[in-house]
Amino acid sequence: MTEQLGSAGAAGLVTLGEVMASMSATRIGPLHTARQFDMSAAGSEANVAIGVVRLGHRATWLSRLGDDELGQLVRTTLRGQGVRVCAATDPAAPTGLMIKERRTGDVGRVVYYRAGSAASRLSPADIDPALIERARILHVTGITPALSQSAAEAVGYAVTVARAAGVPVSLDVNYRSRLWDLSTAQARLRELVPRVDVIFASVDELPVLGAHDADPVRAAEQLLAGGPHTVVVTDGANVACSVGKGEVVRQPAFPVRVVDPVGAGDAFVAGYLAGLLDGFDEPARMRQAAAAAAICVSAEGDWEGLPSTAELGLVDRGDGTVMR
């Protein structure tokens, strides 16, 4: 069953993709020695949606979930965070699962059980074009088209609907070598480049899109020639840069003590897209993106540390600050 949303529910950000149940070992060590786990839900698109909601905007997530307890966990978690859920219940396939291990104090590992999941059966038939047509931004990632041919077709259809309706499209490359081979990723993602408005890519992901210049700004400019308006290049804890036609904005990362680096990229994207929805100029978008990422990695969890608008100023506080 797919939830029906009123016309007001689709305003803001619309995204689609897989959200999995997440189990995180509560103590450091090999996974087989773990005895207790924290349960949650996680997925790049969900992280971005939650981040945008916390920064004052609406977000809708489209997908499929299994008819199981893990599907209920995902559904109720996203609803609880203010994200509107439009996900078909698939009785023939399970909800995906990810298990996070803290192997050492500094190294984590993630195991995925997502082959044949309900979300991998996502297809254009699951996409309600009216939801996308009423959106202000459609956000997609390179993870969803890696799940299956039908999921790739769903992304392509959603982008087509958005373009026809004049809805801006953002793409986070999010290349995962464990999901698909490089040549397939290159073929599918390069097809999307001329059809999106904003691209988010790490320095290492630029070649996947066909930009091979060693200088990230020049590489981004190569992509701009194909159609996008803006290419945002991230480089971990180093300076991120936004490259538009005739404009380059550089944003240093805010110095923070990293507790959990997972979700930093999604937090950055959420901060940027929320700034776009607010009508901020490019420097303000980039600063908000960097602030959201810094605050997110200062807490454990993929999305738990995502900031509210009121909390963005925490990056300007010194170490040891206690607010009373």
Side-chain angles (χ1 to χ4, degrees):
M1 180 181 70
T2 302
E3 298 176 34
Q4 299 299 315
L5 302 178
S7 59
L13 179 84
V14 171
T15 188
L16 64 151
E18 181 167 44
V19 178
M20 296 169 286
S22 172
M23 297 175 60
S24 302
T26 59
R27 68 182 186 186
I28 297 170
L31 190 61
H32 72 271
T33 68
R35 297 295 179 267
Q36 294 180 319
F37 294 85
D38 287 330
M39 292 290 294
S40 186
S44 178
E45 296 83 2
N47 298 342
V48 171
I50 292 170
V52 166
V53 168
R54 289 193 181 176
L55 292 173
H57 297 278
R58 292 174 175 160
T60 299
W61 170 69
L62 311 176
S63 191
R64 297 178 73 85
L65 291 168
D67 186 13
D68 49 32
E69 288 297 308
L70 298 185
Q72 274 296 103
L73 170 67
V74 171
R75 199 181 295 272
T76 56
T77 298
L78 293 189
R79 284 176 177 166
Q81 294 303 314
V83 176
R84 294 181 180 266
V85 175
C86 188
T89 299
D90 190 335
T95 303
L97 172 67
M98 63 183 292
I99 302 177
K100 297 171 68 175
E101 168 195 43
R102 293 192 298 166
R103 185 59 186 85
T104 72
D106 298 318
V107 178
R109 297 189 294 202
V110 181
V111 179
Y112 297 99
Y113 296 91
R114 69 199 315 177
S117 69
S120 73
R121 292 153 59 96
L122 186 69
S123 74
D126 296 306
I127 308 300
D128 181 354
L131 294 177
I132 296 173
E133 290 166 353
R134 294 196 297 267
R136 292 178 61 196
I137 298 174
L138 172 68
H139 177 64
V140 298
T141 79
I143 295 175
T144 308
L147 299 178
S148 67
Q149 179 62 38
S150 66
E153 292 169 358
V155 171
Y157 175 66
V159 171
T160 297
V161 171
R163 297 287 289 182
V167 176
V169 180
S170 70
L171 166 67
D172 185 356
V173 176
N174 244 330
Y175 172 63
R176 298 290 185 268
S177 61
R178 291 165 64 180
L179 286 178
W180 52 356
D181 63 87
L182 180 59
S183 60
T184 304
Q186 290 173 328
R188 288 185 182 173
L189 293 177
R190 290 179 188 183
E191 287 179 359
L192 290 175
V193 169
R195 305 168 63 199
V196 303
D197 299 280
V198 181
I199 293 176
F200 299 94
S202 68
V203 171
D204 295 338
E205 290 171 336
L206 289 170
V208 178
L209 300 181
H212 296 282
D213 198 293
D215 180 83
V217 172
R218 289 198 295 267
E221 289 172 343
Q222 292 174 3
L223 296 178
L224 290 178
H229 296 306
T230 307
V231 177
V232 180
V233 183
T234 57
D235 189 13
N238 299 316
V239 175
C241 62
S242 166
V243 183
K245 295 175 181 178
E247 180 183 35
V248 177
V249 176
R250 291 179 171 83
Q251 174 62 53
F254 289 97
V256 294
R257 183 172 66 87
V258 176
V259 174
D260 186 349
V262 177
D266 299 329
F268 187 98
V269 171
Y272 184 96
L273 294 180
L276 186 61
L277 289 167
D278 280 320
F280 291 174
D281 62 17
E282 198 64 16
R285 293 174 201 165
M286 291 292 287
R287 189 183 194 282
Q288 179 163 279
I295 294 170
C296 181
V297 302
S298 302
E300 291 191 7
D302 290 23
W303 54 265
E304 286 82 350
L306 287 165
S308 66
T309 302
E311 293 172 327
L312 289 170
L314 293 176
V315 294
D316 297 318
R317 303 279 179 169
D319 287 349
T321 297
V322 177
M323 300 172 64
R324 293 186 171 93

